Amino acid sequence: MTTRRKFITTAGLGGAAALATPSIVKAQAPIKWRMQTYSGPPLGAHVIKPQIEAFNKAANGEMEIELYYADQLVPTNELFRSLQNGTLDAVQSDDATMASPADVADFGGYFPFSTRYSLDLPVLFQRYGLNEIWQAAYDEIENVEWLGAGAWDPLHIFTTERPIRSVKDMAGLRVFGVPTAGRFLSRYGLIPVTVPWEDVEVALQTGELDGVAWCGFTEAYEVGWADICKYALLNNVTGAWCGSYFANSESWKKVPPHLQELFRMSMDQSHYYRQVWYWGGEADLRVNGDKLELTTIPAEEWEGVVADSASFWDELASRNERAAKVVEIFKKYQTVMEKAGVPYRYS
């Protein structure tokens, strides 16, 4: 009551007038980001567009991200450098495709036989220590923030005219793919070819490419490559692609904590969406898809390829201490899953 009486007695001195006049808040211009993904528009409609649209809406005018697709602002192999120098504020890509100089880059994208299912990847990051290793690796690189990794689709090989029914059938095939897996498959005569993402379709049609070793069934159907390719190899080289989000350090610092947290939440939602979208599509399109003839390399022959990957792992592990630690984690996880048996591993 004392406070109310004091307010009433001072109202004539300007108290009430001051209350009646709303304070004027100067509107600040929203934070603007330019973000580029490794993916072209058809794939980007699933792997990132829903996330960015949701973030922009939830940011409520405080921040707006302009999304660009593969090669629209800079070539894909210049994504890292463009992020570092501030041409881009953020990037979604695997480490290898964007030419990251981090000593974990070879493990981004498709690392042969490191995973069997898409759920393996987030488990490796969250429970087996890859989060801490990636963070430490990028802490050593100036002006780039690694924000987190997630799982995409498995790696299959799709071809236009030449089916693969044996390892020897890979010899001479020119395929578009992710760098690390391409290096491994080149052991069997496969020829990795790099072209801009938007040119892949035409290159398949003209015969410049014999196929793609870049994705799984969901993606091949979504982006139109299943309309051009005739054959799909069921043996997959790994169960999940490893992709990450990155930000320019100065750009990230300018984002207030609540919007940083909002962006991370939208990343997690996007990881979840992709896992369901990819996983559901893989089985459905193998069974109900009518655009590709399915081929298989016999199990006993494919087991030799899997065994060959051990020397490839050891080759990368020998490069430095951090790479050795990553390989050690993959081996530990593989052992646990094999011992666990069904449903974690079938063989």
Side-chain angles (χ1 to χ4, degrees), residues 229-287:
C229 293
K230 296 179 182 178
Y231 305 99
L233 180 64
L234 285 176
N235 310 74
N236 71 47
V237 181
T238 193
W241 186 78
C242 174
S244 289
Y245 287 83
F246 304 86
N248 172 275
S249 296
E250 293 306 312
S251 298
W252 185 245
K253 288 176 185 175
K254 294 175 184 176
V255 177
H258 71 287
L259 290 180
Q260 288 185 356
E261 188 63 25
L262 179 64
F263 187 79
R264 291 186 185 278
M265 290 168 63
S266 73
M267 281 170 43
D268 287 342
Q269 189 279 332
S270 188
H271 292 325
Y272 175 76
Y273 173 91
R274 275 193 309 275
Q275 282 217 321
V276 175
W277 181 64
Y278 275 125
W279 182 259
E282 294 302 306
D284 179 61
L285 291 169
R286 291 192 205 193
V287 175

Short mmCIF file of all heavy atoms in Angstrom, two decimals, residues 229-287:
data_model
loop_
_atom_site.label_atom_id
_atom_site.label_comp_id
_atom_site.label_asym_id
_atom_site.label_seq_id
_atom_site.Cartn_x
_atom_site.Cartn_y
_atom_site.Cartn_z
N CYS A 229 20.87 -44.43 -64.52
CA CYS A 229 21.60 -45.68 -64.24
C CYS A 229 20.65 -46.87 -64.41
O CYS A 229 19.45 -46.77 -64.21
CB CYS A 229 22.17 -45.65 -62.83
SG CYS A 229 23.48 -44.42 -62.60
N LYS A 230 21.23 -48.00 -64.77
CA LYS A 230 20.45 -49.22 -64.96
C LYS A 230 20.67 -50.24 -63.85
O LYS A 230 19.82 -51.10 -63.62
CB LYS A 230 20.82 -49.86 -66.30
CG LYS A 230 20.48 -49.03 -67.52
CD LYS A 230 20.91 -49.74 -68.80
CE LYS A 230 20.62 -48.90 -70.03
NZ LYS A 230 21.08 -49.57 -71.27
N TYR A 231 21.81 -50.14 -63.17
CA TYR A 231 22.18 -51.19 -62.22
C TYR A 231 22.54 -50.60 -60.85
O TYR A 231 23.11 -49.52 -60.76
CB TYR A 231 23.37 -52.00 -62.74
CG TYR A 231 23.14 -52.58 -64.12
CD1 TYR A 231 23.67 -51.95 -65.24
CD2 TYR A 231 22.40 -53.75 -64.28
CE1 TYR A 231 23.46 -52.47 -66.51
CE2 TYR A 231 22.19 -54.28 -65.55
CZ TYR A 231 22.71 -53.64 -66.66
OH TYR A 231 22.50 -54.16 -67.91
N ALA A 232 22.22 -51.35 -59.80
CA ALA A 232 22.57 -50.97 -58.43
C ALA A 232 23.22 -52.16 -57.74
O ALA A 232 22.64 -53.25 -57.71
CB ALA A 232 21.33 -50.53 -57.66
N LEU A 233 24.42 -51.95 -57.21
CA LEU A 233 25.13 -52.99 -56.48
C LEU A 233 24.66 -53.02 -55.04
O LEU A 233 24.77 -52.01 -54.33
CB LEU A 233 26.64 -52.75 -56.55
CG LEU A 233 27.52 -53.77 -55.82
CD1 LEU A 233 27.39 -55.15 -56.45
CD2 LEU A 233 28.97 -53.30 -55.81
N LEU A 234 24.14 -54.15 -54.60
CA LEU A 234 23.60 -54.24 -53.24
C LEU A 234 24.69 -54.23 -52.17
O LEU A 234 24.45 -53.78 -51.04
CB LEU A 234 22.75 -55.50 -53.09
CG LEU A 234 21.37 -55.45 -53.75
CD1 LEU A 234 20.67 -56.79 -53.60
CD2 LEU A 234 20.53 -54.34 -53.15
N ASN A 235 25.88 -54.74 -52.47
CA ASN A 235 26.96 -54.70 -51.48
C ASN A 235 27.31 -53.24 -51.20
O ASN A 235 27.68 -52.50 -52.12
CB ASN A 235 28.21 -55.39 -52.02
CG ASN A 235 27.91 -56.78 -52.58
OD1 ASN A 235 27.33 -56.89 -53.65
ND2 ASN A 235 28.32 -57.81 -51.87
N ASN A 236 27.17 -52.80 -49.95
CA ASN A 236 27.55 -51.41 -49.68
C ASN A 236 28.93 -51.32 -49.05
O ASN A 236 29.38 -52.23 -48.37
CB ASN A 236 26.48 -50.67 -48.87
CG ASN A 236 26.38 -51.11 -47.43
OD1 ASN A 236 27.38 -51.24 -46.73
ND2 ASN A 236 25.17 -51.33 -46.98
N VAL A 237 29.59 -50.19 -49.33
CA VAL A 237 30.97 -49.99 -48.90
C VAL A 237 31.02 -49.47 -47.47
O VAL A 237 32.01 -49.66 -46.77
CB VAL A 237 31.70 -49.04 -49.87
CG1 VAL A 237 33.15 -48.82 -49.46
CG2 VAL A 237 31.64 -49.61 -51.29
N THR A 238 29.97 -48.84 -47.05
CA THR A 238 29.84 -48.44 -45.65
C THR A 238 28.38 -48.10 -45.38
O THR A 238 27.63 -47.81 -46.32
CB THR A 238 30.77 -47.26 -45.28
OG1 THR A 238 30.82 -47.12 -43.86
CG2 THR A 238 30.31 -45.97 -45.90
N GLY A 239 27.99 -48.16 -44.13
CA GLY A 239 26.58 -48.03 -43.80
C GLY A 239 26.06 -46.62 -43.64
O GLY A 239 24.85 -46.41 -43.60
N ALA A 240 26.96 -45.63 -43.54
CA ALA A 240 26.49 -44.26 -43.34
C ALA A 240 27.56 -43.25 -43.71
O ALA A 240 28.74 -43.45 -43.43
CB ALA A 240 26.07 -44.04 -41.89
N TRP A 241 27.12 -42.20 -44.35
CA TRP A 241 27.98 -41.07 -44.67
C TRP A 241 28.09 -40.18 -43.44
O TRP A 241 27.11 -40.02 -42.70
CB TRP A 241 27.35 -40.29 -45.83
CG TRP A 241 28.12 -39.17 -46.42
CD1 TRP A 241 29.17 -39.26 -47.30
CD2 TRP A 241 27.86 -37.77 -46.27
NE1 TRP A 241 29.57 -38.01 -47.70
CE2 TRP A 241 28.79 -37.08 -47.07
CE3 TRP A 241 26.94 -37.03 -45.53
CZ2 TRP A 241 28.83 -35.69 -47.16
CZ3 TRP A 241 26.97 -35.66 -45.61
CH2 TRP A 241 27.90 -35.00 -46.41
N CYS A 242 29.25 -39.61 -43.22
CA CYS A 242 29.48 -38.73 -42.07
C CYS A 242 29.57 -37.28 -42.55
O CYS A 242 30.53 -36.90 -43.22
CB CYS A 242 30.77 -39.13 -41.37
SG CYS A 242 31.27 -38.02 -40.03
N GLY A 243 28.55 -36.49 -42.25
CA GLY A 243 28.53 -35.08 -42.64
C GLY A 243 28.52 -34.17 -41.44
O GLY A 243 28.04 -34.55 -40.36
N SER A 244 29.04 -32.97 -41.60
CA SER A 244 29.16 -32.03 -40.47
C SER A 244 28.66 -30.64 -40.84
O SER A 244 28.48 -30.30 -42.01
CB SER A 244 30.62 -31.92 -40.01
OG SER A 244 31.06 -33.09 -39.36
N TYR A 245 28.45 -29.85 -39.80
CA TYR A 245 28.15 -28.43 -39.93
C TYR A 245 29.35 -27.64 -39.44
O TYR A 245 29.96 -27.99 -38.41
CB TYR A 245 26.93 -28.06 -39.08
CG TYR A 245 25.61 -28.55 -39.63
CD1 TYR A 245 25.17 -29.84 -39.39
CD2 TYR A 245 24.80 -27.70 -40.38
CE1 TYR A 245 23.95 -30.29 -39.88
CE2 TYR A 245 23.57 -28.14 -40.87
CZ TYR A 245 23.17 -29.44 -40.62
OH TYR A 245 21.97 -29.87 -41.11
N PHE A 246 29.66 -26.58 -40.15
CA PHE A 246 30.78 -25.71 -39.80
C PHE A 246 30.34 -24.26 -39.88
O PHE A 246 29.46 -23.91 -40.67
CB PHE A 246 31.95 -25.90 -40.79
CG PHE A 246 32.44 -27.31 -40.92
CD1 PHE A 246 31.85 -28.20 -41.79
CD2 PHE A 246 33.53 -27.76 -40.17
CE1 PHE A 246 32.31 -29.51 -41.93
CE2 PHE A 246 34.01 -29.05 -40.30
CZ PHE A 246 33.39 -29.93 -41.18
N ALA A 247 30.97 -23.40 -39.08
CA ALA A 247 30.71 -21.97 -39.14
C ALA A 247 32.02 -21.20 -39.14
O ALA A 247 33.02 -21.66 -38.57
CB ALA A 247 29.85 -21.51 -37.96
N ASN A 248 32.01 -20.06 -39.77
CA ASN A 248 33.13 -19.13 -39.66
C ASN A 248 33.17 -18.61 -38.22
O ASN A 248 32.13 -18.25 -37.66
CB ASN A 248 32.94 -17.98 -40.65
CG ASN A 248 33.95 -16.87 -40.47
OD1 ASN A 248 33.76 -15.97 -39.64
ND2 ASN A 248 35.02 -16.92 -41.23
N SER A 249 34.35 -18.61 -37.60
CA SER A 249 34.45 -18.28 -36.17
C SER A 249 33.93 -16.88 -35.86
O SER A 249 33.21 -16.67 -34.87
CB SER A 249 35.90 -18.40 -35.70
OG SER A 249 36.34 -19.73 -35.80
N GLU A 250 34.28 -15.90 -36.69
CA GLU A 250 33.83 -14.53 -36.43
C GLU A 250 32.33 -14.42 -36.59
O GLU A 250 31.65 -13.72 -35.83
CB GLU A 250 34.56 -13.56 -37.37
CG GLU A 250 36.05 -13.44 -37.12
CD GLU A 250 36.37 -13.08 -35.67
OE1 GLU A 250 35.74 -12.13 -35.15
OE2 GLU A 250 37.22 -13.75 -35.06
N SER A 251 31.78 -15.11 -37.58
CA SER A 251 30.33 -15.10 -37.78
C SER A 251 29.62 -15.75 -36.60
O SER A 251 28.58 -15.26 -36.13
CB SER A 251 29.97 -15.85 -39.06
OG SER A 251 30.55 -15.22 -40.19
N TRP A 252 30.18 -16.83 -36.09
CA TRP A 252 29.58 -17.56 -34.96
C TRP A 252 29.59 -16.70 -33.70
O TRP A 252 28.62 -16.70 -32.93
CB TRP A 252 30.33 -18.86 -34.75
CG TRP A 252 29.76 -19.77 -33.72
CD1 TRP A 252 30.33 -20.15 -32.54
CD2 TRP A 252 28.50 -20.47 -33.76
NE1 TRP A 252 29.52 -21.02 -31.85
CE2 TRP A 252 28.39 -21.23 -32.58
CE3 TRP A 252 27.45 -20.52 -34.69
CZ2 TRP A 252 27.28 -22.04 -32.30
CZ3 TRP A 252 26.34 -21.32 -34.41
CH2 TRP A 252 26.28 -22.06 -33.23
N LYS A 253 30.66 -15.96 -33.49
CA LYS A 253 30.76 -15.11 -32.30
C LYS A 253 29.69 -14.02 -32.28
O LYS A 253 29.28 -13.56 -31.22
CB LYS A 253 32.14 -14.45 -32.23
CG LYS A 253 33.27 -15.41 -31.87
CD LYS A 253 34.61 -14.69 -31.93
CE LYS A 253 35.77 -15.64 -31.70
NZ LYS A 253 37.08 -14.97 -31.87
N LYS A 254 29.26 -13.58 -33.45
CA LYS A 254 28.27 -12.51 -33.54
C LYS A 254 26.85 -12.99 -33.28
O LYS A 254 25.93 -12.18 -33.15
CB LYS A 254 28.34 -11.85 -34.92
CG LYS A 254 29.65 -11.11 -35.17
CD LYS A 254 29.72 -10.59 -36.60
CE LYS A 254 31.08 -9.93 -36.87
NZ LYS A 254 31.20 -9.49 -38.30
N VAL A 255 26.67 -14.31 -33.21
CA VAL A 255 25.35 -14.88 -32.96
C VAL A 255 25.16 -14.99 -31.45
O VAL A 255 25.97 -15.62 -30.76
CB VAL A 255 25.23 -16.27 -33.61
CG1 VAL A 255 23.87 -16.89 -33.30
CG2 VAL A 255 25.42 -16.15 -35.13
N PRO A 256 24.10 -14.40 -30.89
CA PRO A 256 23.89 -14.48 -29.44
C PRO A 256 23.65 -15.92 -29.00
O PRO A 256 23.22 -16.76 -29.79
CB PRO A 256 22.65 -13.60 -29.21
CG PRO A 256 21.99 -13.49 -30.53
CD PRO A 256 23.05 -13.60 -31.56
N PRO A 257 23.93 -16.21 -27.72
CA PRO A 257 23.85 -17.59 -27.23
C PRO A 257 22.52 -18.28 -27.51
O PRO A 257 22.50 -19.48 -27.83
CB PRO A 257 24.10 -17.44 -25.73
CG PRO A 257 24.95 -16.21 -25.62
CD PRO A 257 24.46 -15.29 -26.69
N HIS A 258 21.41 -17.55 -27.38
CA HIS A 258 20.13 -18.23 -27.58
C HIS A 258 19.92 -18.65 -29.03
O HIS A 258 19.29 -19.68 -29.30
CB HIS A 258 18.96 -17.35 -27.09
CG HIS A 258 18.68 -16.15 -27.92
ND1 HIS A 258 19.50 -15.03 -27.94
CD2 HIS A 258 17.66 -15.87 -28.79
CE1 HIS A 258 19.00 -14.13 -28.77
NE2 HIS A 258 17.89 -14.62 -29.29
N LEU A 259 20.48 -17.90 -29.97
CA LEU A 259 20.36 -18.29 -31.38
C LEU A 259 21.39 -19.37 -31.73
O LEU A 259 21.12 -20.21 -32.60
CB LEU A 259 20.54 -17.07 -32.28
CG LEU A 259 19.39 -16.06 -32.26
CD1 LEU A 259 19.69 -14.89 -33.21
CD2 LEU A 259 18.07 -16.73 -32.64
N GLN A 260 22.53 -19.37 -31.07
CA GLN A 260 23.47 -20.47 -31.24
C GLN A 260 22.81 -21.79 -30.81
O GLN A 260 22.91 -22.81 -31.51
CB GLN A 260 24.74 -20.24 -30.42
CG GLN A 260 25.66 -19.17 -30.96
CD GLN A 260 26.96 -19.06 -30.17
OE1 GLN A 260 27.14 -19.76 -29.16
NE2 GLN A 260 27.85 -18.21 -30.61
N GLU A 261 22.13 -21.73 -29.67
CA GLU A 261 21.46 -22.93 -29.17
C GLU A 261 20.33 -23.35 -30.11
O GLU A 261 20.12 -24.54 -30.36
CB GLU A 261 20.91 -22.68 -27.77
CG GLU A 261 20.36 -23.91 -27.08
CD GLU A 261 21.42 -24.98 -26.83
OE1 GLU A 261 22.62 -24.63 -26.73
OE2 GLU A 261 21.04 -26.16 -26.74
N LEU A 262 19.62 -22.38 -30.64
CA LEU A 262 18.54 -22.67 -31.58
C LEU A 262 19.09 -23.35 -32.83
O LEU A 262 18.49 -24.31 -33.35
CB LEU A 262 17.80 -21.38 -31.95
CG LEU A 262 16.65 -21.53 -32.96
CD1 LEU A 262 15.54 -22.40 -32.37
CD2 LEU A 262 16.10 -20.15 -33.35
N PHE A 263 20.23 -22.87 -33.31
CA PHE A 263 20.82 -23.48 -34.50
C PHE A 263 21.24 -24.92 -34.22
O PHE A 263 21.01 -25.81 -35.04
CB PHE A 263 22.02 -22.66 -34.99
CG PHE A 263 22.55 -23.15 -36.32
CD1 PHE A 263 21.91 -22.82 -37.51
CD2 PHE A 263 23.68 -23.96 -36.38
CE1 PHE A 263 22.37 -23.29 -38.73
CE2 PHE A 263 24.15 -24.43 -37.59
CZ PHE A 263 23.50 -24.10 -38.78
N ARG A 264 21.84 -25.15 -33.06
CA ARG A 264 22.24 -26.52 -32.71
C ARG A 264 21.01 -27.44 -32.59
O ARG A 264 21.06 -28.61 -33.00
CB ARG A 264 23.03 -26.52 -31.39
CG ARG A 264 24.41 -25.87 -31.50
CD ARG A 264 25.17 -26.03 -30.21
NE ARG A 264 26.45 -25.35 -30.20
CZ ARG A 264 27.58 -25.84 -30.73
NH1 ARG A 264 27.57 -27.02 -31.31
NH2 ARG A 264 28.70 -25.14 -30.66
N MET A 265 19.94 -26.92 -32.04
CA MET A 265 18.71 -27.71 -31.93
C MET A 265 18.17 -28.04 -33.33
O MET A 265 17.70 -29.16 -33.57
CB MET A 265 17.66 -26.95 -31.11
CG MET A 265 17.99 -26.85 -29.63
SD MET A 265 16.92 -25.68 -28.75
CE MET A 265 15.33 -26.46 -28.95
N SER A 266 18.24 -27.08 -34.23
CA SER A 266 17.75 -27.34 -35.58
C SER A 266 18.65 -28.35 -36.29
O SER A 266 18.19 -29.13 -37.11
CB SER A 266 17.66 -26.04 -36.39
OG SER A 266 18.94 -25.54 -36.76
N MET A 267 19.95 -28.35 -35.98
CA MET A 267 20.86 -29.38 -36.51
C MET A 267 20.42 -30.77 -36.05
O MET A 267 20.33 -31.70 -36.86
CB MET A 267 22.28 -29.13 -36.02
CG MET A 267 23.05 -28.05 -36.76
SD MET A 267 24.62 -27.64 -35.93
CE MET A 267 25.27 -29.24 -35.47
N ASP A 268 20.13 -30.90 -34.76
CA ASP A 268 19.72 -32.20 -34.23
C ASP A 268 18.42 -32.68 -34.88
O ASP A 268 18.27 -33.87 -35.20
CB ASP A 268 19.53 -32.11 -32.72
CG ASP A 268 20.85 -32.01 -31.96
OD1 ASP A 268 21.89 -32.34 -32.55
OD2 ASP A 268 20.83 -31.57 -30.80
N GLN A 269 17.49 -31.75 -35.08
CA GLN A 269 16.24 -32.13 -35.73
C GLN A 269 16.49 -32.58 -37.16
O GLN A 269 15.88 -33.55 -37.64
CB GLN A 269 15.27 -30.93 -35.71
CG GLN A 269 13.84 -31.26 -36.15
CD GLN A 269 13.67 -31.31 -37.66
OE1 GLN A 269 14.39 -30.63 -38.39
NE2 GLN A 269 12.71 -32.10 -38.12
N SER A 270 17.43 -31.92 -37.82
CA SER A 270 17.76 -32.27 -39.20
C SER A 270 18.42 -33.64 -39.27
O SER A 270 18.14 -34.44 -40.17
CB SER A 270 18.68 -31.21 -39.80
OG SER A 270 18.87 -31.43 -41.19
N HIS A 271 19.30 -33.95 -38.31
CA HIS A 271 19.92 -35.27 -38.25
C HIS A 271 18.84 -36.36 -38.13
O HIS A 271 18.91 -37.39 -38.80
CB HIS A 271 20.86 -35.38 -37.04
CG HIS A 271 22.09 -34.52 -37.14
ND1 HIS A 271 22.74 -34.27 -38.32
CD2 HIS A 271 22.80 -33.87 -36.18
CE1 HIS A 271 23.79 -33.50 -38.10
NE2 HIS A 271 23.84 -33.25 -36.80
N TYR A 272 17.87 -36.11 -37.28
CA TYR A 272 16.80 -37.08 -37.06
C TYR A 272 15.97 -37.26 -38.34
O TYR A 272 15.68 -38.39 -38.75
CB TYR A 272 15.91 -36.62 -35.91
CG TYR A 272 14.70 -37.50 -35.68
CD1 TYR A 272 14.84 -38.75 -35.06
CD2 TYR A 272 13.43 -37.10 -36.09
CE1 TYR A 272 13.74 -39.57 -34.85
CE2 TYR A 272 12.33 -37.91 -35.89
CZ TYR A 272 12.48 -39.14 -35.28
OH TYR A 272 11.39 -39.94 -35.09
N TYR A 273 15.61 -36.17 -38.95
CA TYR A 273 14.81 -36.23 -40.19
C TYR A 273 15.53 -37.05 -41.25
O TYR A 273 14.94 -37.92 -41.90
CB TYR A 273 14.53 -34.81 -40.71
CG TYR A 273 13.86 -34.78 -42.07
CD1 TYR A 273 12.47 -34.77 -42.17
CD2 TYR A 273 14.60 -34.77 -43.24
CE1 TYR A 273 11.83 -34.75 -43.41
CE2 TYR A 273 13.99 -34.76 -44.48
CZ TYR A 273 12.61 -34.74 -44.56
OH TYR A 273 12.00 -34.74 -45.79
N ARG A 274 16.82 -36.79 -41.42
CA ARG A 274 17.59 -37.50 -42.46
C ARG A 274 17.68 -38.98 -42.18
O ARG A 274 17.57 -39.80 -43.09
CB ARG A 274 19.00 -36.91 -42.57
CG ARG A 274 19.08 -35.69 -43.46
CD ARG A 274 20.54 -35.37 -43.76
NE ARG A 274 21.34 -35.31 -42.57
CZ ARG A 274 21.46 -34.23 -41.80
NH1 ARG A 274 20.82 -33.13 -42.13
NH2 ARG A 274 22.21 -34.24 -40.73
N GLN A 275 17.91 -39.35 -40.92
CA GLN A 275 18.00 -40.77 -40.59
C GLN A 275 16.73 -41.51 -40.98
O GLN A 275 16.78 -42.60 -41.57
CB GLN A 275 18.28 -40.95 -39.10
CG GLN A 275 19.71 -40.70 -38.71
CD GLN A 275 20.17 -41.66 -37.61
OE1 GLN A 275 19.42 -41.97 -36.71
NE2 GLN A 275 21.40 -42.11 -37.71
N VAL A 276 15.59 -40.94 -40.67
CA VAL A 276 14.31 -41.58 -40.97
C VAL A 276 14.08 -41.59 -42.48
O VAL A 276 13.67 -42.60 -43.06
CB VAL A 276 13.16 -40.86 -40.25
CG1 VAL A 276 11.81 -41.44 -40.67
CG2 VAL A 276 13.33 -40.97 -38.74
N TRP A 277 14.34 -40.46 -43.14
CA TRP A 277 14.10 -40.35 -44.58
C TRP A 277 14.97 -41.33 -45.37
O TRP A 277 14.48 -42.08 -46.21
CB TRP A 277 14.38 -38.91 -45.04
CG TRP A 277 14.16 -38.69 -46.51
CD1 TRP A 277 12.97 -38.79 -47.18
CD2 TRP A 277 15.14 -38.34 -47.48
NE1 TRP A 277 13.16 -38.50 -48.51
CE2 TRP A 277 14.48 -38.23 -48.73
CE3 TRP A 277 16.52 -38.10 -47.42
CZ2 TRP A 277 15.14 -37.89 -49.91
CZ3 TRP A 277 17.18 -37.76 -48.59
CH2 TRP A 277 16.51 -37.66 -49.82
N TYR A 278 16.25 -41.34 -45.05
CA TYR A 278 17.16 -42.25 -45.75
C TYR A 278 16.83 -43.71 -45.43
O TYR A 278 16.70 -44.55 -46.32
CB TYR A 278 18.61 -41.96 -45.37
CG TYR A 278 19.27 -40.88 -46.18
CD1 TYR A 278 19.86 -39.76 -45.57
CD2 TYR A 278 19.35 -40.97 -47.56
CE1 TYR A 278 20.49 -38.78 -46.31
CE2 TYR A 278 19.98 -39.98 -48.32
CZ TYR A 278 20.55 -38.89 -47.68
OH TYR A 278 21.17 -37.93 -48.43
N TRP A 279 16.73 -44.03 -44.16
CA TRP A 279 16.55 -45.43 -43.74
C TRP A 279 15.25 -46.00 -44.34
O TRP A 279 15.24 -47.12 -44.85
CB TRP A 279 16.53 -45.52 -42.22
CG TRP A 279 16.40 -46.91 -41.70
CD1 TRP A 279 15.27 -47.50 -41.21
CD2 TRP A 279 17.43 -47.89 -41.59
NE1 TRP A 279 15.53 -48.80 -40.81
CE2 TRP A 279 16.86 -49.07 -41.03
CE3 TRP A 279 18.79 -47.91 -41.92
CZ2 TRP A 279 17.58 -50.23 -40.79
CZ3 TRP A 279 19.52 -49.07 -41.67
CH2 TRP A 279 18.91 -50.21 -41.12
N GLY A 280 14.17 -45.26 -44.26
CA GLY A 280 12.91 -45.73 -44.82
C GLY A 280 12.97 -45.93 -46.32
O GLY A 280 12.42 -46.90 -46.86
N GLY A 281 13.67 -45.03 -47.00
CA GLY A 281 13.76 -45.12 -48.45
C GLY A 281 14.60 -46.27 -48.94
O GLY A 281 14.28 -46.90 -49.97
N GLU A 282 15.67 -46.59 -48.22
CA GLU A 282 16.58 -47.66 -48.68
C GLU A 282 15.84 -48.97 -48.86
O GLU A 282 15.90 -49.60 -49.92
CB GLU A 282 17.72 -47.84 -47.67
CG GLU A 282 18.67 -46.66 -47.56
CD GLU A 282 19.32 -46.31 -48.89
OE1 GLU A 282 19.93 -47.19 -49.52
OE2 GLU A 282 19.20 -45.14 -49.29
N ALA A 283 15.15 -49.44 -47.84
CA ALA A 283 14.45 -50.72 -47.92
C ALA A 283 13.30 -50.67 -48.92
O ALA A 283 13.13 -51.58 -49.73
CB ALA A 283 13.93 -51.10 -46.53
N ASP A 284 12.53 -49.62 -48.87
CA ASP A 284 11.36 -49.50 -49.74
C ASP A 284 11.75 -49.53 -51.21
O ASP A 284 11.12 -50.23 -52.03
CB ASP A 284 10.60 -48.21 -49.42
CG ASP A 284 9.39 -48.03 -50.32
OD1 ASP A 284 8.49 -48.89 -50.28
OD2 ASP A 284 9.35 -47.04 -51.08
N LEU A 285 12.81 -48.81 -51.57
CA LEU A 285 13.19 -48.71 -52.97
C LEU A 285 13.89 -49.97 -53.47
O LEU A 285 13.84 -50.28 -54.66
CB LEU A 285 14.06 -47.47 -53.19
CG LEU A 285 13.30 -46.15 -53.02
CD1 LEU A 285 14.25 -44.97 -52.97
CD2 LEU A 285 12.28 -45.97 -54.15
N ARG A 286 14.54 -50.69 -52.58
CA ARG A 286 15.10 -51.98 -52.99
C ARG A 286 13.97 -52.96 -53.33
O ARG A 286 14.08 -53.75 -54.26
CB ARG A 286 15.96 -52.58 -51.88
CG ARG A 286 17.25 -51.84 -51.62
CD ARG A 286 18.14 -52.67 -50.72
NE ARG A 286 19.08 -51.84 -49.99
CZ ARG A 286 20.12 -52.33 -49.33
NH1 ARG A 286 20.34 -53.62 -49.30
NH2 ARG A 286 20.95 -51.53 -48.69
N VAL A 287 12.91 -52.91 -52.55
CA VAL A 287 11.80 -53.85 -52.72
C VAL A 287 10.81 -53.38 -53.79
O VAL A 287 10.38 -54.15 -54.66
CB VAL A 287 11.07 -54.08 -51.38
CG1 VAL A 287 9.84 -54.97 -51.58
CG2 VAL A 287 12.01 -54.68 -50.36
#
